[in-house]
Amino acid sequence: MSIDAMESSSRDSGRRGGRDARRHARASKLSDADRPIWPGLPGGKYQVLSEADMQKIHHKILDVLEQIGFADAIPSTVDYMTKAGAYIDKNDGRMKFPRALVEDTIAKAARRFPLYAQDPRYDMDPWGKNVYYGTAGAAVNVVEPLTGDYRESTVVDLYDCSRIVDHCDNIHFFQRTNVCREIPNPRELDINTAYASVAGTTKHVGTSMVHPDHVTEVLEMLHMIAGGEDKWRERPFVSQSNCFVVPPLKFAEDACKCLEVAVLGGMPVLLLSAGQAGATAPASLAGTVVQAVAECLVGLIYVNAIKPGAPYIFGTWPFVSDLRTGAMSGGSPEQALLSSACGQMANFYDLNGGTGAGMCDSKVIDFQAGYEKAYNLTLVGNAGTNLIYEAAGMHASLLGICKETLVADNDIIAAAQRTMRGIDTSDDALDLDTIRNVCVYCGSNLGANPAYAAAAQTLGAIPVPVYADSVAVELAKILANAGVRLAVVQDQEQVDKFISINDDLKSLERILYDEDRGLEDYDHSRLTAIDALISEARADFARDSSLRATIEVEVDKGAADE
């Protein structure tokens, strides 16, 4: 806040238009430099698995792939994989993966590659422990927030959701939020889903296709949007969500064919394993993590067998079952633990990882939706998961998408990101020279008091607000403990109160007062009228042009999150 702005705020807080101006200021976007959070803010402070836990899980994964392997490999999969070093076990017909093949693939896989957007401002760097939040879920219904009714979702809903995400600062990418139920033809559905998504947002988009020919047609469309195949391959801004595995540990024929076309077409592939603990995966959370990571490692081998170094997303997306009903429970604390562990395992291998979090069980926007989303998004982000899908808009464990919830979740994600940033303990933040204290003694001038506090904070002081009707003995202890050096009061009554406890406030250097009635004959060695202080400051600024710049330097030292 500038000097003039602070002075104007204190004196003119009741002026017509002031409230509108404050609303406009609050609604205005912060500059990138002033934002307390940003896309890709690192996580990793929450570790649900220890290093020993991850090593143990890793060795169990190697056992699973070497001893159990995968079923139902199609001919092209067999061709690619056996050339890479896998083999078909003649005893059970399953494809097995030697430990050396798995570990070599992990070592050789692509790393530190971006996921591009149509607008380069939204490019993502999903590696290390950088965290990005986005949508997903493919809901079949739209939730009407005022009535709680569910209706079938359409292509217009998909387009609307992508447009909303394009304007949400804290939703960093868009994967299809809903199915276009009015389009029964699979080919038309795949093409229109991709088109509606890229038409609505310039952020990175994820979508899926059910037939390899559809992948080819979507790629041709994306070439036109990009300005040619060469431009597309330079900056592929759409990834394919691919369920190449049917848990537990079986290949999905059509998805495998789609994966092959996508990899050869330069499209990043989300290698998606979506087992359900207690149903298609072990009931234990640790066992589910083992299976999900094992399945995605097979996907990684597959991608690199087709095209070494091809871009991928290590998509461990296991879900949790409510063992009373068998239904998925996407908002449960167990889901937060499971997704956090999967994010950690991707970090363990230093792979670009993604998982799901934020899909609540509540069917409408209510307090249950809020708390389920909040702890899931916060914990999984703090685990350092690179890409968090299904983070916004989803209800009823992915059965419903609500457009209004997208906007609400944008704020929840912001709060989760702020916890990831943590507390600044740099030398500047702990500089003793900035830990100065000022008491803002609240009188009836409610418009001026916040301005005085803001002025003090802007210059690095710490406001200590107190009640105007507090008795002197109460004030003495509070203000002495705070080491107050400056008091800002309203009138004679408050000045008298401070003078009466003067002996107990050794640190107090000056009292500033607003109303001078009754104070004419007081000793002003430590009393100053606020009007006189402002007049003196104006005279000093007029006399010394460098003074304003000096104070502005102090103001600029402040940070948005102080």
Side-chain angles (χ1 to χ4, degrees), residues 6-21:
M6 289 187 290
E7 179 184 323
S8 175
S9 176
S10 66
R11 292 298 171 186
D12 302 327
S13 58
R15 184 179 299 167
R16 181 175 297 183
R19 186 177 184 186
D20 289 340

Side-chain angles (χ1 to χ4, degrees), residues 87-105:
Y87 67 95
I88 300 296
D89 189 328
K90 295 180 180 179
N91 295 318
D92 57 17
R94 298 176 70 90
M95 181 176 285
K96 306 292 177 66
F97 304 88
R99 289 171 177 252
L101 170 61
V102 178
E103 294 185 322
D104 285 350
T105 299

Side-chain angles (χ1 to χ4, degrees), residues 333-480:
E334 289 83 2
Q335 184 66 60
L337 292 169
L338 194 54
S339 296
S340 296
C342 287
Q344 270 192 263
M345 289 305 298
N347 289 336
F348 175 77
Y349 294 121
D350 191 22
L351 300 173
N352 291 22
T355 193
M359 56 303 221
C360 66
D361 295 328
S362 174
K363 297 177 175 63
V364 294
I365 306 177
D366 59 7
F367 74 95
Q368 178 188 347
Y371 72 70
E372 288 182 347
K373 288 172 177 289
Y375 64 67
N376 271 275
L377 294 172
T378 299
L379 290 176
V380 179
N382 275 280
T385 306
N386 299 136
L387 296 161
I388 302 177
Y389 293 81
E390 299 166 338
M394 304 310 295
H395 287 277
S397 296
L398 305 181
L399 289 177
I401 172 69
C402 181
K403 299 170 190 176
E404 289 77 6
T405 301
L406 286 170
V407 179
D409 289 349
N410 182 63
D411 282 353
I412 295 178
I413 292 168
Q417 284 192 287
R418 184 60 189 88
T419 68
M420 288 157 50
R421 182 175 172 183
I423 296 175
D424 179 11
T425 57
S426 65
D427 290 342
D428 286 342
L430 297 173
D431 184 6
L432 292 180
D433 290 339
T434 67
I435 305 178
R436 301 187 300 271
N437 294 278
V438 57
C439 172
V440 180
Y441 191 82
C442 297
S444 61
N445 190 348
L446 298 179
N449 288 328
Y452 299 148
Q457 283 183 302
T458 302
L459 293 176
I462 302 173
V464 184
V466 294
Y467 290 108
D469 57 358
S470 299
V471 298
V473 67
E474 293 174 340
L475 287 177
K477 185 175 182 179
I478 295 171
L479 303 183

Side-chain angles (χ1 to χ4, degrees), residues 22 180 302 325 390 409 416 435 468 509 542:
R22 292 193 297 274
C180 309
Y302 199 172
T325 64
E390 299 166 338
D409 289 349
I435 305 178
E509 298 174 5

